[in-house]
Amino acid sequence: MLRALTFAVGVALATPLASASHLLQRQSTGNSSNSTYPGAVDPAAEPGAQSFQTSGPFYPSPWVNGQGDWADAYAKAKDFVSQLTLLEKVNLTTGVGWEGEQCVGQVGSIPRLGFRSLCMQDSPVGVRDTDYNSVFSSGQTVAATFDRGLFYARGNAMGAEHKAKGVTVQLGPVAGPLGRSPEGGRNWEGFSPDPYLTGVAIAETIKGIQDAGVIACAKHFIGNEQEHFRQTGEAQGYGFNITDSISSNIDDVTMHELYLWPFADAVRAGVGSIMCSYNQVNNSYSCQNSKVLNDLLKNELGFQGFVMSDWQAQHTGAASAVAGLDMTMPGDTVFSSGESFWGTNLTLAVLNGTIPEWRIDDMALRIMSAYFKVGLTLNEPPINFDSWTLDTYGPLHASVGANIQQVNFHVDVRGDHASVIRNIGARATVLLKNVNNALPLSKPKFVAVIGEDAGPNLWGPNGCSDRGCDNGTLGMAWGSGSANFPYLVTPDSALQSQALADGTRYESVLDNYATSQINALVSQADATAIVFVNADSGEGYISVDGNEGDRNNLTLWHSGDALIQNVSAICNNTIVVIHSTGPTLLTEWYDSPNITAILWAGVPGQESGNSITDVLYGKVNPAARTPFTWGPTRESYGTDLLYTPNNGNGAPQDDFTEGPFIDYRSFDAQNITPIYEFGFGLSYTTFEYSNLQVTKLNVSAYTPSSGMTEAAPVLGNFSTNLTDYLFPNSSFPYIRQYIYPYLNTTDEKQASADPNYGQTAAEFLPPHATDGSPQPLLPSGGAPGGNPQLYDVLYTVTATIKNNGTLNGEEVPQLYISLGGPNNPPLVLRGFERLSIDAGQSTTFTADILRRDLSNWDTVSQNWVITSYPKTVCVGPSSRNLPLSQSL
Ligand code: NOJ
């Protein structure tokens, strides 16, 4: 048996033990064994995180077993993987390198079995880098609908478009960032800082995507809450020479109750893949962090799919493999380097025994289980687009310009999705203020539309690469989470069409700085002024107006606040529409009596103008709810990003000291009055809440999972003759920079190009890393999503909701629970439903309270526990308007 290290040449070895293993759990201080506290939750385990805290080792990496509803997919995967050679298994796990094939990421193919390469493609709002695709609203925008049906419909339509382009894995949806701080650049890609809402939204989106026959990828796992310092190269680009990525330092309670929560929903919904993130978690890189991948994700949550790295988020070879990574993207260590931590090195690592055979089998099993779970077959149609050019003909391997052929077939995959997008845009628009019956508009005499955000980008809707600018109306934010617009209906064009149909006089000024023209217009008699403003953000590889992905502040862009103040000083019927990637500061102007209405329209996608017109004119009666809090000041949020490294050139330390107290949980705990609270949103009609009923169900007590797993399965043998692994022969086309599984010589040391080749696995990997013997089940685990009893319904809650106004409408009753403990947020969202109720009619709101909804994470027993602190259920139309309540 050969023994060796397996690392690519020129890549510094991150101290493998230190980087692959750390202590996540916050040490309980004080009286953890003292029974004076009610229930098992240790009151000393108050939220808290410390700089330089570490992440505990967890080995071996749990192997899949087809639990939950994965049995069929697992059986097919086992059958398939049993036929594979070692080289073929490696090919499934390793990307071919940056721009090596048509998709943003692809792994190797298995030509012997006619199996084409898997195509990984962004984005969470539509198929990226192609044409004839739709652009959907952002995740954050659809979250505002609080509508399970729309979460699913959006996911399903996006999935269908990816499927029709030949995509295997859609790189979304997003639950990390969750939205710890409103400035976070990619919060718009996710849903909401509330983990319950995000959990429901991500689960429904995943079901929608996967029902369309595409694997969803829940990302970025985990603690990926800001763009600054996520990658060292990027940070150098804006002037900080750090040696390691930022560490999100998160305590055990906060990890479970906040950041992991929606990923549990994703896993329970059957998500096929999870992308590990760029950041470190407790000073261990996410893609080699055995605590988060092996323990939290694969053991506790029973994840049956595969973990893929974010692009260049892998930092080690063998260490990441035993810590739970299953697929490396895009395959090369650094874009276009031609070197890989895996590929050849993974082949060698298995051959020389550093990586046990069961681990590579498990990687392949996980990938193929996800593949079969969503109904993919061994004969999928080819990929019909190319991420690197919109030209019809181009190089198949754009990395080196090789193999010119037809790469784009310009397949129109949009179907009738425009209507879904328009509907979501309208149903996601939050009516924050509406006085003097300003809205809905009804054949107004004169409409004056003001602001760049109402108009087009003069360079075209796709005029800025990956939407990396803020020109014209904000239909999409920037980064890899973007897609090309097939068109963009601007508010100006849609509102003008409506005005023409109504015989309304219509003028617009689309320059925020054309003050004299604006003043001349909005001062005219009978003007209804609609001011469009925005605030943008995106991914860290693009800087817009000095914002390195994250927003530098919470004010409106292009002097939007001054624009609103100017117009509203002149016109006493000023309506404000905000497009943004999160809250902005409204404090200076929101309560002006001349500002008669304020709407938040999020980032609505291609139908933007039609959606907002539908709401302004009452074709859709608004019911959306703000999925985040609008605070009076930046400081009122209690959290902020790290904009300057705080650890010299070492990894910046981002201590999540606020624990679970983010967004409304923080405002409530600190008793700060927000401008508009989480869950708030008006309608053109009104609703009355009554008759709360809480019914307790007879459910057996919670039992911790126990017992042992089976031993890790090993599927087939492989040759140990190194000549079987050499690059095939001179007739096999060799593509420069392409990542292959082959060796170029039978001299292992030379093949590995690793000067340290020769260390043993025992010297090199953490204890138990290679152990394939049966392992104990975790008390809190046992099925996808965690211990299945966490999802038992303990109570059913009903309330009567009456539409006591004169218009038909929709209402979103919300259920909050006070968990009662000294370290718990005053209230947490635990139920909601979007109901359609005609004028004068009543309907019943029903919500189930699950065991999980009433539980806290106990650091002592490492399990969920319902404490004996008093619990209260509240129901109402927002987090601060809860007319109904009852103790449990
Ligand atoms: C990096 C981003 O963080 C990730 O979300 C995306 O899927 C990949 N790049 C691929 O574009």
Side-chain angles (χ1 to χ4, degrees):
M1 183 71 67
L2 309 162
R3 296 277 174 208
L5 266 181
T6 54
F7 282 87
V9 68
V11 177
L13 173 62
T15 41
L17 271 173
S19 51
S21 55
H22 295 292
L23 181 72
L24 174 73
Q25 274 150 251
R26 181 174 177 281
Q27 297 298 314
S28 305
T29 52
N31 58 352
S32 60
S33 58
N34 178 333
S35 60
T36 54
Y37 57 93
V41 174
D42 179 0
E46 77 278 7
Q50 294 148 23
S51 292
F52 310 109
Q53 73 188 45
T54 54
S55 185
F58 191 96
Y59 298 94
S61 187
W63 38 91
V64 265
N65 59 7
Q67 65 187 2
D69 56 1
W70 286 74
D72 281 356
Y74 177 72
K76 286 184 187 153
K78 213 167 176 179
D79 185 44
F80 182 77
V81 174
S82 302
Q83 301 169 46
L84 302 185
T85 65
L86 174 57
L87 289 169
E88 289 165 341
K89 290 173 194 170
V90 170
N91 247 6
L92 278 180
T93 68
T94 304
V96 298
W98 180 239
E99 298 192 2
E101 298 272 355
Q102 292 145 280
C103 300
V104 73
Q106 275 182 239
V107 292
S109 57
I110 305 179
R112 184 176 65 90
L113 300 176
F115 185 72
R116 81 146 161 88
S117 142
L118 311 185
C119 162
M120 276 35 88
Q121 190 70 10
D122 297 300
S123 79
V125 300
V127 194
R128 183 184 178 203
D129 287 332
T130 183
D131 49 16
Y132 302 97
N133 59 284
S134 305
V135 169
F136 294 77
S137 83
S138 67
Q140 190 184 50
T141 306
V142 79
T145 67
F146 279 70
D147 187 323
R148 288 175 171 78
L150 294 179
F151 298 157
Y152 179 90
R154 173 176 170 276
N156 196 241
M158 289 195 300
E161 295 200 10
H162 282 83
K163 176 87 184 174
K165 290 278 182 187
V167 173
T168 321
V169 182
Q170 176 179 351
L171 300 174
V174 173
L178 187 68
R180 174 180 179 241
S181 302
E183 298 84 1
R186 299 182 77 179
N187 292 356
W188 65 284
E189 290 188 47
F191 296 100
S192 162
D194 180 79
Y196 182 90
L197 175 57
T198 292
V200 172
I202 201 168
E204 294 303 316
T205 307
I206 287 163
K207 289 180 207 161
I209 292 172
Q210 298 198 158
D211 284 353
V214 170
I215 300 171
C217 179
K219 65 187 189 182
H220 307 83
F221 193 76
I222 192 166
N224 189 168
E225 294 296 321
Q226 67 170 63
E227 292 302 284
H228 278 80
F229 318 126
R230 63 178 192 155
Q231 282 188 296
T232 54
E234 218 170 77
Q236 280 154 17
Y238 44 83
F240 296 108
N241 193 18
I242 50 172
T243 55
D244 278 294
S245 300
I246 190 167
S247 176
S248 296
N249 298 327
I250 309 175
D251 69 81
D252 193 21
V253 170
T254 305
M255 178 59 91
H256 280 87
E257 296 186 6
L258 200 59
Y259 297 101
L260 189 64
W261 182 286
F263 283 103
D265 290 303
V267 172
R268 189 166 161 83
V271 72
S273 68
I274 296 229
M275 187 188 292
C276 51
S277 51
Y278 286 126
N279 57 287
Q280 304 192 64
V281 179
N282 298 334
N283 293 289
S284 170
Y285 278 101
S286 297
C287 291
Q288 61 190 44
N289 185 317
S290 66
K291 175 69 192 180
V292 303
L293 298 183
N294 285 345
D295 189 16
L296 297 183
L297 181 61
K298 292 185 170 177
N299 210 17
E300 188 178 324
L301 298 187
F303 176 53
Q304 298 289 301
F306 63 98
V307 175
M308 85 168 72
S309 72
D310 200 340
W311 272 233
Q312 294 186 157
Q314 187 189 21
H315 294 266
T316 52
S320 62
V322 295
L325 185 68
D326 302 303
M327 181 188 282
T328 171
M329 277 291 133
D332 34 16
T333 53
V334 171
F335 288 173
S336 310
S337 63
E339 294 171 346
S340 181
F341 290 114
W342 285 4
T344 301
N345 283 323
L346 187 54
T347 306
L348 265 178
V350 177
L351 284 173
N352 69 29
T354 308
I355 304 294
E357 190 181 356
W358 63 259
R359 182 73 266 269
I360 179 99
D361 286 350
D362 184 56
M363 293 176 189
L365 270 175
R366 286 175 173 278
I367 293 165
M368 293 311 296
S369 293
Y371 189 89
F372 291 120
K373 179 83 164 47
V374 303
L376 285 158
T377 67
L378 298 178
N379 299 303
E380 286 298 309
I383 299 155
N384 56 37
F385 72 101
D386 190 292
S387 299
W388 321 112
T389 177
L390 290 174
D391 294 347
T392 304
Y393 292 87
L396 186 64
H397 310 296
S399 47
V400 288
N403 289 26
I404 307 281
Q405 59 183 60
Q406 182 167 359
V407 287
N408 279 308
F409 293 80
H410 313 291
V411 181
D412 193 331
V413 297
R414 292 173 293 165
D416 62 355
H417 300 156
S419 61
V420 177
I421 297 166
R422 177 175 182 159
N423 186 33
I424 290 173
R427 289 199 148 67
T429 298
V430 185
L431 181 62
L432 294 168
K433 177 178 181 182
N434 188 20
V435 296
N436 307 341
N437 293 320
L439 295 177
L441 299 173
S442 174
K443 299 194 175 181
K445 197 167 176 193
F446 167 35
V447 167
V449 163
I450 307 296
E452 290 177 28
D453 183 67
N457 176 353
L458 296 183
W459 299 338
N462 301 313
C464 307
S465 177
D466 290 343
R467 306 307 80 77
C469 65
D470 183 37
N471 300 352
T473 195
L474 184 68
M476 196 191 320
W478 79 77
S480 65
S482 62
N484 291 330
F485 282 114
Y487 58 80
L488 173 54
V489 180
T490 63
D492 183 41
S493 69
L495 287 167
Q496 175 166 293
S497 299
Q498 178 70 46
L500 296 188
D502 289 348
T504 296
R505 179 184 157 210
Y506 183 88
E507 285 189 51
S508 55
V509 180
L510 304 179
D511 178 346
N512 286 10
Y513 303 99
T515 309
S516 57
Q517 290 85 348
I518 290 168
N519 292 0
L521 191 66
V522 301
S523 57
Q524 293 176 31
D526 299 317
T528 298
I530 311 180
V531 185
F532 283 84
V533 288
N534 70 37
D536 200 359
S537 69
E539 193 174 338
Y541 68 95
I542 297 176
S543 171
V544 178
D545 204 10
N547 296 268
E548 311 290 349
D550 301 315
R551 283 190 281 167
N552 286 336
N553 53 53
L554 298 181
T555 53
L556 292 167
W557 288 33
H558 305 302
S559 305
D561 295 289
L563 181 71
I564 293 165
Q565 283 170 301
N566 176 43
V567 172
S568 60
I570 300 169
C571 175
N572 68 2
N573 189 15
T574 300
I575 294 165
V576 176
V577 178
I578 303 166
H579 288 117
S580 70
T581 52
T584 61
L585 300 179
L586 317 177
T587 319
E588 298 296 317
W589 48 262
Y590 80 102
D591 57 354
S592 156
N594 283 356
I595 295 181
T596 50
I598 304 174
L599 302 101
W600 180 71
V603 177
Q606 69 190 42
E607 289 283 323
S608 174
N610 288 332
S611 301
I612 192 68
T613 304
D614 289 347
V615 174
L616 292 172
Y617 283 81
K619 283 175 249 175
V620 170
N621 188 348
R625 298 301 208 260
T626 174
F628 46 73
T629 302
W630 299 74
T633 61
R634 179 177 189 161
E635 294 70 35
S636 64
Y637 287 88
T639 49
D640 209 327
L641 308 183
L642 197 62
Y643 292 89
T644 313
N646 58 0
N647 180 28
N649 289 340
Q653 299 292 307
D654 197 4
D655 302 335
F656 291 23
T657 48
E658 72 288 342
F661 295 91
I662 65 169
D663 200 74
Y664 69 90
R665 298 159 177 234
S666 167
F667 282 82
D668 290 353
Q670 295 180 68
N671 208 9
I672 297 175
T673 307
I675 307 273
Y676 297 114
E677 73 270 20
F678 174 86
F680 174 77
L682 299 168
S683 162
Y684 297 148
T685 185
T686 51
F687 298 92
E688 190 183 293
Y689 284 62
S690 65
N691 195 22
L692 181 69
Q693 310 250 346
V694 181
T695 312
K696 187 170 190 205
L697 305 183
N698 222 346
V699 180
S700 54
Y702 183 60
T703 37
S705 295
S706 58
M708 302 291 281
T709 68
E710 310 228 308
V714 175
L715 307 178
N717 293 312
F718 56 86
S719 150
T720 48
N721 183 350
L722 293 191
T723 53
D724 293 341
Y725 296 89
L726 289 174
F727 196 86
N729 58 49
S730 52
S731 64
F732 185 84
Y734 170 77
I735 314 291
R736 197 164 40 86
Q737 283 185 25
Y738 205 85
I739 306 300
Y740 294 99
Y742 306 113
L743 317 187
N744 55 6
T745 159
T746 51
D747 177 333
E748 304 154 50
K749 182 163 182 170
Q750 212 183 321
S752 78
D754 182 347
N756 298 321
Y757 196 87
Q759 266 181 286
T760 66
E763 282 170 328
F764 169 63
L765 293 174
H768 311 296
T770 58
D771 180 2
S773 66
Q775 299 294 313
L777 293 179
L778 270 194
S780 56
N787 189 316
Q789 286 181 304
L790 291 170
Y791 298 87
D792 289 344
V793 180
L794 301 196
Y795 294 87
T796 303
V797 178
T798 57
T800 304
I801 319 294
K802 181 172 186 196
N803 180 341
N804 59 4
T806 53
L807 291 174
N808 297 343
E810 294 173 337
E811 175 64 348
V812 182
Q814 296 154 50
L815 182 152
Y816 292 83
I817 294 181
S818 164
L819 293 169
N823 301 314
N824 297 146
L827 291 170
V828 288
L829 180 71
R830 287 295 189 254
F832 62 83
E833 203 178 347
R834 184 159 175 148
L835 301 168
S836 176
I837 315 174
D838 286 350
Q841 300 298 305
S842 295
T843 199
T844 303
F845 163 64
T846 308
D848 289 336
I849 300 180
L850 311 183
R851 189 188 308 273
R852 175 194 191 212
D853 295 329
L854 289 175
S855 298
N856 284 102
W857 180 252
D858 180 19
T859 59
V860 180
S861 63
Q862 286 293 294
N863 206 343
W864 293 95
V865 173
I866 299 180
T867 67
S868 56
Y869 292 116
K871 315 250 180 274
T872 312
V873 177
C874 309
V875 172
S878 84
S879 65
R880 290 216 167 186
N881 183 1
L882 296 166
L884 309 179
S885 68
Q886 189 174 314
S887 302
L888 285 183

